[in-house]
Structure formats: structure tokens, C-alpha cells
Amino acid sequence: MSQSDVPEPHPVEPGHGPASALLEPVEKVRAVWITGVVLVNLGINAAFFGPLQVLLGQQAAHFDEGQKEAILALVTGCGAVVSLVANPLFGAFSDRTASRFGRRVPWVVVGAILGATALVALAGAPNVAVMTVLWCLVQAGANAMYAAITAAVPDRVPVPQRGTVGGLAAMGQTVGILLGAVIAAVVAGNFAVGYWLCAAALLAGVVLYLFKNDDPQLPVTAHPPFRLGAFAKGFWISPARYPDFGWAWMTRLLVSTGNHMITLYLLFFLIDAVHLRETENIDPAFGVLILTGLYAITVIITSVLGGRLSDRMGKRKPLVIASSVIIAVASLILAFAPTWAGGLTGAVVLGIGFGAYLAVDFALITQVLPTAADRARDLGVINIANSLPQVIAPLIAFPFVTYWGGYVSLYIAAAVIGLLGAVFVVKIKSVD
């Protein structure tokens, strides 16, 4: 799979030796480094979800109220395609970067500048075509940052600390999503100001990491000379040669697909199944906000606690399986209790399960990466399993809701798909 003949990593202290960037870290990272990683994740998600949740829709309506849905679908669809390609691609570039600033820092900085510049330009986009191009550039910049900062964890964090750091990074991502929603809310429809605030959040998020990154330098000789054919072939990671990586990828795909199926039609579930306005006199859109807030709070809590517990246990698989089962339980609650109380309970249970899953499964994945030389690229391949459910989930969910039994069958199907992910975790042999 890898095009380089990198020897098996041996533990050394970070920053020592000519090839420390490729060696397994053994020294625990400091709180200031972890804070820098959390803030980068927070900035990325604030800059990404603020536009995605509200600002892009407002801008689409500004261009053409009657075609706003089609415009938004075009812009976000193109951005999703860029995201799918950009994450592993920039990850692979990051792996090969032999800068004196390290492998990851240049791409975090370049990505932040590109993303922030495109966000500011979006504020003044003159038409839909320019809007689409600029959002694709935001996606490219954010994914360059995300590929690099994600790979920095296995670069610098020893295995016994990865659950804790993964949980804190997941917390940063969730807080960033909430911050994006707050930005979109406070600008009161002025999407141009919203884009400027998102750009400021993106740039502010990288400052601490820029000065406190301890990113080891990669020797120029660590990779063979660049050849396009070998570079392209490297994105195929054979499941036969690396079965644990393959099972981890499949597990992430299934659990993420189940989670997307649960949240995809939440607004329509509250309208058509719960009849929220009639039964509770609550606007369904406000109901979605309440459920999302409960979900986010529990994700923040359990991502931190779950990651820390995993480190203390020295085990990953039992907690990944347990959290996958909890996600399935949340889906079944929605299936068989289509009430406002059931929705509140389901949101809390889903947050408990998915928060722990995010932290512990990330730590597990970092332990099955094929080579140290290609960590960012391989994590980018894993990220495809995060992105594909955005395409797969609607295709699966639509016929269930429309033809095959409505929301009861949809949420049962989501539970079954998530449980399959839990089953496949057992196939991973190199991690307890």
C-alpha cells in the first residue's frame, strides 16, 4: 500500500533523532498542545457549520427566493465532492512535507488562510457561480487543516493518551458546531457579517497551535521521489493486506450512516410523527434546536469521559461496541416512542452514544494505521467513511419513510445498520 520502505516505528522521545516524525511517540503531550489542537478543531467547525446550517441558505435566497433550494443543493453538493477528495489528498501532501516547521503546521496555516479568504470573499459573491467556487475553496482549506491536525494526534500523542486527546478534539468539534450556529443566529440575517465572523473564528483557532505545536521535522529522504502513478495508487489500502484498517473503515461507515439516518429527517419527524405543534404547542424548528442542543451537550460530556475511560482501561473495542449499541437504542426509542418526551430521551441517549464513539473509535483507528509515513493520507481515507454517509443516508432513508413503513421502519433500519458496525469491530485483532 505505502510507496515508501519505512521501518517499523520504535519508541523515542518526540523531537529527537533524524526521523522522529516517523517514530511512535512515548512522551505525554502537554495541556497547552492539546488546547491548541482543540481550538483548531473548534475553528474549523465554526467556519464550516455556520455557513452550512444558515448562511449559505440565506445567501441562496438572496440570489433567487424561488430557486433557493436548488441553489443550496448545488453549492453544498459541489462542496461535498471537494471535501471527499481534498481530505485524503491534502493529507498525502502533508505526509510528504519536509518543511523546517514540520509536516502538519504548514497545512494548518495555509488551509486557514485559504478558508478565511474564501469566506470573506463569499460575503460579496456577485452570483451563484462565484458563490459555488468560493464555498469549494472553503471546503478545500478546511479539509487541508483537518487532515493535518487529525494526523498530528498519532504523530505526537502516545497510545495510552489518545482516547483522552481524541475526546477533547471531539469536544472542540462539537463546540465549534454550536459556535457556528450562534454566529449564524446573532447576525440576524446579515450573512455577509456572518461570513466575516466565521473567517475570524477560523484564523483565531490556529494561533495557539501555530506557536505551541512541537511538530517534528520530516527528513527529505523519508519519502522516495514523487511519482504521480505511485502517489495515486497509495490511496488504495488493501483490506487483504491491512484487514484491521479495513474493518475499522467499514465500522466507521456503518455507524456514521446509522447516525445520519437518525438525524436526517428530524424536522419532518417532529412535524409528521410527533405532531409537535399540535401536541406541545412548540414550533418544530425550535424543537429541532432543543434536541440538537441536548445532543451536543451530551456529546461534549461523553466524548471527554469516554476517551479518558478508554485510556484508563487500556481497551478500545468494548467501548466502541457499547457506544454503537447505545446509538442503536436511541434510534429504537424514536421508532417506538414518537412523542416529544421520546424525542428528548432519544436525543440525550444518542449524544451519550455518539460522543463516546467519536473519542474511542478515533483512538482505535490511530492504532491500526498501516504506516507512520502516511498517517494523514490514511486518516483521510478513513474520513471518506465519515463523508459518504451524507450521500448514502438520504438514499436509504427516503424509501423507508415514503414506502416502507415510515419513521418506525426508518429508525429500526438505522439501529440495525449501526449494530452491524458494532459487530464488525470484533474483527479487529491488533487492538483490544
Side-chain angles (χ1 to χ4, degrees), residues 34-344:
I34 298 173
T35 303
V37 170
V38 170
L39 289 175
V40 172
N41 278 282
L42 191 157
I44 291 171
N45 283 275
F48 180 76
F49 282 97
L52 197 60
Q53 290 173 324
V54 176
L55 302 178
L56 289 171
Q58 291 176 341
Q59 191 168 21
H62 168 75
F63 284 126
D64 190 335
E65 177 70 31
Q67 296 294 322
K68 60 186 178 184
E69 294 87 356
I71 294 171
L72 184 60
L74 170 67
V75 173
T76 56
C78 291
V81 172
V82 171
S83 175
L84 202 64
V85 175
N87 198 283
L89 182 63
F90 283 117
F93 290 152
S94 171
D95 287 330
R96 298 184 64 92
T97 299
S99 139
R100 67 185 182 91
F101 300 106
R103 288 198 286 178
R104 313 306 179 193
V105 173
W107 293 98
V108 171
V109 173
V110 169
I113 293 172
L114 174 61
T117 302
L119 282 166
V120 170
L122 260 173
N127 52 52
V128 173
V130 174
M131 176 187 175
T132 303
V133 171
L134 290 171
W135 178 242
C136 289
L137 290 177
V138 173
Q139 285 274 15
N143 276 278
M145 295 175 67
Y146 187 68
I149 201 65
T150 303
V153 175
D155 283 350
R156 293 279 291 111
V157 181
V159 168
Q161 197 184 10
R162 282 186 195 170
T164 298
V165 174
L168 291 168
M171 177 196 72
Q173 293 168 13
T174 307
V175 173
I177 293 171
L178 290 176
L179 177 59
V182 169
I183 289 173
V186 299
V187 298
N190 190 336
F191 60 82
V193 173
Y195 285 134
W196 276 87
L197 291 175
C198 287
L202 187 64
L203 293 175
V206 308
V207 174
L208 181 60
Y209 182 75
L210 178 60
F211 293 102
K212 298 290 183 180
N213 56 79
D214 298 326
D215 194 358
Q217 183 176 346
L218 181 73
V220 176
T221 56
H223 279 274
F226 180 84
R227 293 184 178 86
L228 182 60
F231 180 78
K233 289 179 181 178
F235 290 97
W236 168 248
I237 302 171
S238 169
R241 187 174 180 185
Y242 301 104
D244 284 354
F245 183 89
W247 288 120
W249 191 93
M250 180 59 68
T251 295
R252 176 61 69 94
L253 176 71
L254 289 169
V255 175
S256 295
T257 299
N259 189 66
H260 276 284
M261 288 173 65
I262 295 170
T263 59
L264 179 64
Y265 289 130
L266 191 56
L267 175 63
F268 300 150
F269 171 73
L270 294 179
I271 294 172
D272 299 328
V274 176
H275 304 290
L276 188 59
R277 190 185 299 277
E278 294 82 1
T279 58
E280 303 290 339
N281 197 28
I282 297 174
D283 181 75
F286 185 62
V288 171
L289 180 61
I290 293 172
L291 297 184
T292 303
L294 285 173
Y295 167 80
I297 290 169
T298 50
V299 165
I300 290 169
I301 294 170
T302 60
S303 62
V304 176
L305 295 180
R308 187 169 297 176
L309 177 61
S310 174
D311 285 343
R312 289 183 177 178
M313 291 173 56
K315 296 180 183 296
R316 312 294 187 200
K317 289 198 295 187
L319 289 176
V320 172
I321 293 170
S323 58
S324 301
V325 170
I326 292 171
I327 294 170
V329 169
S331 189
L332 293 176
I333 290 172
L334 296 178
F336 295 109
T339 64
W340 181 231
L344 294 171

